[in-house]
Amino acid sequence: MARTPHEDPHPYAGEVVPLLSKDSEVGDEKPAAMFRITDWADRVYGKPWRLHRSPGVLLYSLRAEGLGLPVTDDNVLHGTLLGLPMLIHTREIDWSRL
């Protein structure tokens, strides 16, 4: 098995966290999309997420490029949004609401 960048689970693994919306502002009280974190993507896949071939990785890569998110770092989380599996970058979480 390939070595993964994260030896320990994400601190919020198993938790539901709010995501930033495109027009989020400080003090914005609009309901946020909620994302259930499974764990770091590399821990879920057993290898760096970029080396895993799946529709989820492809969709994240395309979405990240369009949003200007990094596609070369390991701060990518696996989880579910509306019950569907997906990957997000840690920059997409609204940490101010936790």
Side-chain angles (χ1 to χ4, degrees):
M1 184 179 282
R3 180 168 156 72
T4 61
H6 298 100
E7 294 181 13
D8 297 319
H10 188 275
Y12 285 91
E15 302 291 326
V16 177
V17 298
L19 297 180
L20 291 168
S21 63
K22 187 174 182 182
D23 57 350
S24 289
E25 295 178 20
V26 175
D28 187 2
E29 294 302 321
K30 288 189 268 184
M34 302 303 285
F35 182 77
R36 179 175 297 279
I37 298 173
T38 305
D39 202 351
W40 295 108
D42 58 86
R43 287 178 46 87
V44 172
Y45 297 140
K47 57 186 168 185
W49 70 269
R50 290 177 303 284
L51 301 179
H52 185 73
R53 300 295 176 236
S54 73
V57 169
L58 176 61
L59 289 173
Y60 171 75
S61 297
L62 293 171
R63 191 171 57 79
E65 188 173 316
L67 294 173
L69 295 169
V71 292
T72 58
D73 72 18
D74 296 308
N75 294 323
V76 177
L77 297 167
H78 181 280
T80 57
L81 180 67
L82 301 173
L84 300 172
M86 69 178 293
L87 301 180
I88 67 162
H89 194 275
T90 54
R91 290 185 187 178
E92 296 180 89
I93 296 174
D94 188 348
W95 296 107
S96 70
R97 293 188 185 208
L98 296 177

